[in-house]
Amino acid sequence: MTEIPEITIPSSLLPADGRFGSGPGRVQTTFVDDLAATGTSYMGTSHRRPAVRDVVAEIQSGLVEMYDLPDGYEIVLGVGGATAFWDAATFGLIARRSAHFVCGEFSRKFADAAAKTPHLDDPIVVAAEYGGAPEPEEVPGVDTASFIHNETSTGVLAPFARLGSALVAIDGTSAAGAIAYDVEAADAYYFSPQKALGSEGGLWIVMLSPLAVDRIESIAASDRWIPPSLSLKTALDNARLHQTYNTPALTTLYLLARQIRFVNTMGGIEWADGTTRRSSAHLYRWAESSTFAQPFVVNAALRSPTVATIDFVSGTPADRVSSVLRSNGIVDTEPYRKLGRNQLRIATFPNIDLEDVEALTASIDYVVQRL
Ligand SMILES: *Cc1c(COP(=O)(O)O)cnc(C)c1O
């Protein structure tokens, strides 16, 4: 391990808040204070009673409002995060065979989960080089097409489309609450709340079209064995009562409801989309004009508005830069572990103000000049 150089960034350059992680993402501290102030009225009370069910109902109606979802769409929640949703989908959403459009570690994990599922046929995988994204194309013989909206491991905003009759499942984990999309092109748009939605982990949420609800019900009526904790039908039945099947973390629900209300008050998904695009545009412009940095994603149309991946030239070690930043209170700028690039990965979620992103690039410049 090389020593971290002792560089003190002047406080006038530092961001007001040093959290730039892509997951868990920045949580609004006022929401944490408000949660603490609920005292005995919420934390430590039953998730089957109004104090908690009202929060779940607020999450559901808040998402309908945020995305202006058409009639018949339903919001379902379950315990275990997006990773558990992949497993639930292999049991309850994919009928026989899925196609997976893969462009990074997260989209690959769902493809791998489907490939190992004994009751499914081998999935079709359409993969792109990391840093790019596959073009949506109709894949014959599949009943489910799986896309990722924003590949958090590479910082790619990937295209998706409804093609043929396949049900469209989209991993929106680092996009939900931040990036607008054509809701009618998705049947199952799912996410965890600890990324752009600034809550805690441990929960998955899916926004289901009527087509997806039909699929879940018809698979549940078949003779396929489904583990109860991964049953989408059980989750759906509970969601209609503003509950989860088993006990959720109440902090996660509270912070999620507050963040959704915040985004809706600010102007909804269009506002969130605008603010993340402004912050990420600053980063990409800064990298393009820098002598030591450049955006990892070459095709500007595929650059993520919420997770910016910035490559450094070989003479500028990104790991040392992020270590110095960390010692100055600027945390979680390291790249996705398995990508293995000389890179910083910086979230520009709606909770991260443009001023903080500007202060971050000024701080990076200060550090690199002194390495
Ligand atoms: C973080 C992430 C996941 C996994 O979420 P967990 O809550 O850890 O299960 C899945 N997909 C994407 C795109 C992610 O960013």
Side-chain angles (χ1 to χ4, degrees):
M1 186 83 193
T2 50
E3 222 167 280
I4 305 165
E6 268 184 46
I7 299 172
T8 303
I9 303 169
S11 56
S12 59
L13 289 185
L14 287 173
D17 186 325
R19 296 172 296 168
F20 291 94
S22 301
R26 196 182 282 192
V27 177
Q28 298 203 34
T29 54
T30 52
F31 298 165
V32 179
D33 294 342
D34 292 346
L35 175 61
T38 62
T40 57
S41 66
Y42 177 73
M43 292 296 297
T45 72
S46 169
H47 64 298
R48 312 246 179 249
R49 298 290 159 189
V52 179
R53 283 171 62 184
D54 289 353
V55 175
V56 173
E58 185 185 345
I59 290 166
Q60 292 169 311
S61 63
L63 287 169
V64 170
E65 181 187 336
M66 185 187 293
Y67 288 101
D68 197 13
L69 293 180
D71 281 350
Y73 276 61
E74 297 195 56
I75 314 286
V76 178
L77 303 84
V79 171
T83 304
F85 183 82
W86 292 326
D87 294 332
T90 65
F91 279 101
L93 200 64
I94 302 170
R96 275 229 75 85
R97 181 176 234 178
S98 49
H100 295 262
F101 293 81
V102 168
C103 60
E105 292 295 321
F106 290 108
S107 40
R108 185 166 298 283
K109 280 184 184 177
F110 187 20
D112 289 347
K116 290 193 179 118
T117 303
H119 58 257
L120 298 178
D121 292 346
D122 283 344
I124 310 285
V125 176
V126 185
E129 295 261 312
Y130 286 5
E135 268 309 307
E137 56 177 83
E138 189 170 344
V139 180
V142 301
D143 55 75
T144 305
S146 162
F147 296 93
I148 193 161
H149 192 182
N150 192 68
E151 184 39 91
T152 321
S153 65
T154 57
V156 163
L157 180 71
F160 59 84
R162 185 182 290 289
L163 297 161
S165 60
L167 187 144
V168 179
I170 298 172
D171 183 347
T173 298
S174 54
I179 308 176
Y181 72 99
D182 172 11
V183 294
E184 309 226 14
D187 295 306
Y189 188 93
Y190 62 90
F191 48 92
S192 302
Q194 77 276 18
K195 308 239 168 135
L197 278 163
S199 177
E200 283 259 81
L203 195 73
W204 55 258
I205 299 104
V206 63
M207 311 197 293
L208 297 170
S209 74
L211 191 70
V213 171
D214 286 350
R215 171 73 64 83
I216 288 166
E217 285 178 339
S218 79
I219 292 177
S222 74
D223 57 8
R224 179 183 290 173
W225 173 73
I226 299 178
S229 70
L230 295 175
S231 166
L232 293 174
K233 168 70 174 137
T234 301
L236 176 63
D237 292 344
N238 276 278
R240 288 172 175 164
L241 302 171
H242 314 303
Q243 298 181 135
T244 48
Y245 170 59
N246 60 318
T247 316
L250 305 196
T251 52
T252 304
L253 294 173
Y254 180 90
L255 295 170
L256 175 58
R258 288 298 303 269
Q259 180 70 20
I260 290 170
R261 197 193 305 166
F262 167 77
V263 171
N264 285 341
T265 306
M266 295 300 286
I269 195 69
E270 301 302 333
W271 167 81
D273 190 276
T275 187
T276 59
R277 279 177 203 278
R278 271 189 299 281
S279 295
S280 56
H282 167 74
L283 267 170
Y284 294 128
R285 264 198 313 273
W286 163 80
E288 278 172 335
S289 61
S290 158
T291 53
F292 60 85
Q294 63 187 46
F296 165 51
V297 179
V298 176
N299 180 349
L302 298 181
R303 286 178 193 156
S304 166
T306 53
V307 177
T309 44
I310 307 293
D311 275 351
F312 281 10
V313 296
S314 57
T316 306
D319 56 346
R320 300 190 83 195
V321 175
S322 44
S323 296
V324 173
L325 293 173
R326 185 173 286 282
S327 68
N328 282 270
I330 298 173
V331 301
D332 303 339
T333 59
E334 292 84 2
Y336 189 76
R337 288 165 284 129
K338 286 202 217 133
L339 208 59
R341 294 187 70 88
N342 186 34
Q343 174 177 99
L344 297 187
R345 183 177 63 151
I346 296 154
T348 51
F349 295 146
N351 282 345
I352 299 172
D353 296 336
L354 175 60
E355 297 74 60
D356 275 357
V357 180
E358 289 167 344
L360 172 66
T361 53
S363 297
I364 297 171
D365 284 337
Y366 184 91
V367 171
V368 170
Q369 280 157 20
R370 284 160 185 82
L371 270 186

